[in-house]
Amino acid sequence: MPFRARVTLESIPVQGYKVKFMSKSSKALTAAALAVAWLTAGPVLAQSAPPAPALSGLSLQQALALAQERNPDLRLSAIAVRNAEAAVLSASAAPNPTLSIQSSSINPRTGVGSGGLRDKNIDTTVRLDQLIERGGKRELRTENARRLVEASRLDVNDTRRQLTLATSEAYYDLLAAQERLAVTQETTQLFDSTLEAAQRRRKAGDIAGADVERLQVDVLRARNDARLAQADLARAQLALAQLLNVCCDTAGIRATDPWPGFEASDNVADIDRLIEQRPDVRAAQARLEAAQAARQLALASRTRDVSVGVQFEHAPGDNANNTYGLAVQIPLFVRYNFEGEIRSAEANLDTAREVLDKTRIVARNDASRALQDLQAAADRARRFEQELLVAAKKSADAAEFGFRNGASAVMDVLDARRTYRATQLDAVTARADYARALSAWRTAVMKEEGK
């Protein structure tokens, strides 16, 4: 039979409201209870959702802060540190003692006898054994685990270093895409105004129709370039949003910082000294020290551990039958002397040395290449800023003025316009190359945090 339930906002307070349930069946009460749960939980769930960050005016520092806060790779590196710290607790713990209780001399024919528990015909033994590690095994295990924790923390810093470089490059790619779009849109507007002027001159008989058609072709090309620049901007916004791990309207992301200024890079400090402070090099060094501790631990395996035990034995009968005992267990290395563990530890130590050498070479080449790229990009960007843009702008302005006043042909203004637009786009590329090279140089010699 169908039922009806009515929920009115009175009688029961729910987040500032009063709710009264009027029903004619238990099912209606259940439905009403679900309605209350929905009303109660809805705002709570809405409040728990993290707000999307505002990215309409994004500076580089804000982008770096968001990347370090939200990037999943950095979070995974932090989880690895916690895992390594847990390994330290396990390595530094002493062996637990072993308690054993044994009953023996139970005769199935005669049974266990009568009387209390102490009078039963059962021999009962209580024994406590403790393993005593020798050769500094626990200290070496702890040292190995601590070095691995240090390496994991340095891995977090290296992940942060690489994330800083990737975010900076993505940010400057976005800034360059914004400027390319602005240049192409401005060029399109100039071509449109030039086309209008050419059409007026054609009506007056001052210009041939073929020249107007040529100008029309350049107008269409400029519009295609603007559309392509718009697509490049969308790709740059998506790339930066992926690094920031944000799920918002990426079309609203906009970089607001200016291009970085030119920095002197001729007299730099010793690169070999700088790379020794990089987190990836320090992490490789920490893993080498951990491998050294592991090798010492493998050698310490040849030092015999001793197990010491004490026991109490109760036999039925007189109390004088209670006895005590001591036991010592010493392993005998008659068949195997841990050669495999020692060889494996030595191989791991050699591997750690090779990894450290390789990491140093990669870091040195990375820093040297970043410095050379920075110097070349600075020279190119400075030449565009101080010479090429100025000359191309003067040529374009002169051609525009002459065309509007009937002193120059269409081809002259088109050539000047193409040259100026190409120079502007090349200048944007040069600025972006310098900004990326500067970021690469800074991250190539980035120190460990706190150093």
Side-chain angles (χ1 to χ4, degrees):
M1 177 180 297
F3 64 90
R4 295 181 180 178
R6 183 174 65 183
V7 180
T8 59
L9 299 179
E10 59 183 15
S11 300
I12 300 177
V14 179
Q15 294 190 356
Y17 298 96
K18 291 184 177 180
V19 181
K20 180 180 179 181
F21 305 105
M22 300 178 62
S23 62
K24 295 183 179 180
S25 66
S26 60
K27 293 183 178 180
L29 290 175
T30 304
L34 292 175
V36 171
W38 180 81
L39 289 173
T40 306
V44 176
L45 293 176
Q47 293 175 1
S48 63
L55 303 177
S56 57
L58 186 65
S59 66
L60 178 58
Q61 293 301 322
Q62 291 173 340
L64 293 176
L66 282 173
Q68 294 183 10
E69 177 185 354
R70 305 171 68 95
N71 188 269
D73 293 334
L74 197 57
R75 293 182 179 180
L76 290 174
S77 298
I79 294 174
V81 173
R82 285 164 31 203
N83 188 21
E85 290 173 346
V88 174
L89 296 177
S90 301
S92 60
N96 289 322
T98 301
L99 176 65
S100 58
I101 301 176
Q102 178 182 354
S103 295
S104 60
S105 301
I106 300 175
N107 192 329
R109 292 184 179 181
T110 60
V112 296
S114 61
L117 183 61
R118 294 175 58 86
D119 298 328
K120 300 295 184 182
N121 296 325
I122 300 174
D123 290 343
T124 302
T125 303
V126 178
R127 181 185 179 97
L128 183 66
D129 291 282
Q130 174 65 58
L131 176 66
I132 300 176
E133 292 183 308
R134 301 174 62 241
K137 294 184 179 65
R138 184 164 53 141
E139 291 77 7
L140 291 172
R141 280 199 313 270
T142 305
E143 178 68 15
N144 174 265
R146 286 175 178 171
R147 294 300 181 184
L148 292 178
V149 169
E150 182 182 356
S152 298
R153 290 172 179 168
L154 290 166
D155 287 341
V156 173
N157 292 338
D158 189 57
T159 303
R160 185 178 291 110
R161 180 185 70 86
Q162 297 178 23
L163 180 61
T164 298
L165 175 59
T167 305
S168 300
E169 290 180 342
Y171 185 88
Y172 289 127
D173 287 341
L174 174 60
L175 186 58
Q178 291 175 181
E179 292 202 1
R180 290 192 189 97
L181 179 60
V183 169
T184 54
Q185 288 177 343
E186 180 183 359
T187 303
T188 302
Q189 294 174 0
L190 289 175
F191 270 117
D192 289 337
S193 62
T194 304
L195 180 61
E196 292 177 1
Q199 290 173 346
R200 289 194 299 267
R201 290 181 59 182
R202 182 178 62 176
K203 291 179 180 180
D206 295 338
I207 190 174
D211 293 336
V212 177
E213 295 300 329
R214 293 191 188 96
L215 187 57
Q216 179 70 30
V217 171
D218 280 84
V219 170
L220 296 176
R221 288 178 177 174
R223 291 175 183 173
N224 284 339
D225 292 341
R227 185 63 186 88
L228 181 61
Q230 190 175 5
D232 291 339
L233 176 61
R235 284 194 294 268
Q237 290 169 334
L238 287 172
L240 182 58
Q242 182 177 359
L243 287 172
L244 302 184
N245 194 22
V246 293
C247 300
C248 63
D249 184 13
T250 58
I253 301 178
R254 182 172 180 81
T256 58
D257 276 4
W259 293 110
F262 297 107
E263 296 183 4
S265 57
D266 294 333
N267 298 324
V268 297
D270 184 22
I271 291 182
D272 289 336
R273 181 181 60 84
L274 291 175
I275 64 173
E276 288 298 325
Q277 300 175 3
R278 276 183 36 154
D280 54 346
V281 176
R282 293 179 60 85
Q285 179 65 41
R287 288 190 169 86
L288 174 60
E289 295 171 356
Q292 292 173 343
R295 178 179 178 275
Q296 293 297 324
L297 178 61
L299 292 174
S301 299
R302 290 178 172 176
T303 302
R304 292 170 175 81
D305 297 334
V306 178
S307 294
V308 178
V310 294
Q311 73 178 27
F312 167 79
E313 184 176 357
H314 171 73
D318 193 358
N319 290 336
N321 292 329
N322 295 335
T323 59
Y324 302 90
L326 295 175
V328 176
Q329 296 181 10
I330 301 176
L332 301 178
F333 299 159
V334 295
R335 295 185 178 88
Y336 184 65
N337 202 22
F338 299 95
E339 291 86 357
E341 287 80 355
I342 294 174
R343 289 185 181 182
S344 177
E346 290 176 347
N348 292 335
L349 179 59
D350 293 338
T351 301
R353 288 196 184 99
E354 293 296 329
V355 169
L356 177 58
D357 293 339
K358 178 182 177 181
T359 305
R360 282 173 174 161
I361 293 174
V362 171
R364 186 181 297 106
N365 293 339
D366 187 18
S368 300
R369 180 175 58 254
L371 179 59
Q372 294 176 1
D373 293 344
L374 176 61
Q375 293 172 345
D379 293 340
R380 185 167 178 264
R382 190 180 292 110
R383 190 173 298 109
F384 270 101
E385 292 285 344
Q386 299 175 359
E387 300 177 17
L388 290 174
L389 274 177
V390 176
K393 182 68 166 58
K394 289 181 179 180
S395 176
D397 291 343
E400 289 286 344
F401 180 79
F403 178 75
R404 293 183 183 278
N405 291 275
S408 61
V410 175
M411 297 306 298
D412 295 334
V413 71
L414 290 181
D415 291 340
R417 183 70 55 74
R418 295 190 194 102
T419 302
Y420 182 52
R421 180 182 59 181
T423 305
Q424 283 181 304
L425 295 177
D426 290 341
V428 171
T429 303
R431 295 190 194 104
D433 290 342
Y434 172 74
R436 287 192 293 264
L438 182 60
S439 300
W441 164 248
R442 288 174 177 174
T443 54
V445 295
M446 179 180 289
K447 300 179 181 179
E448 173 199 352
E449 284 191 355
K451 295 295 182 178

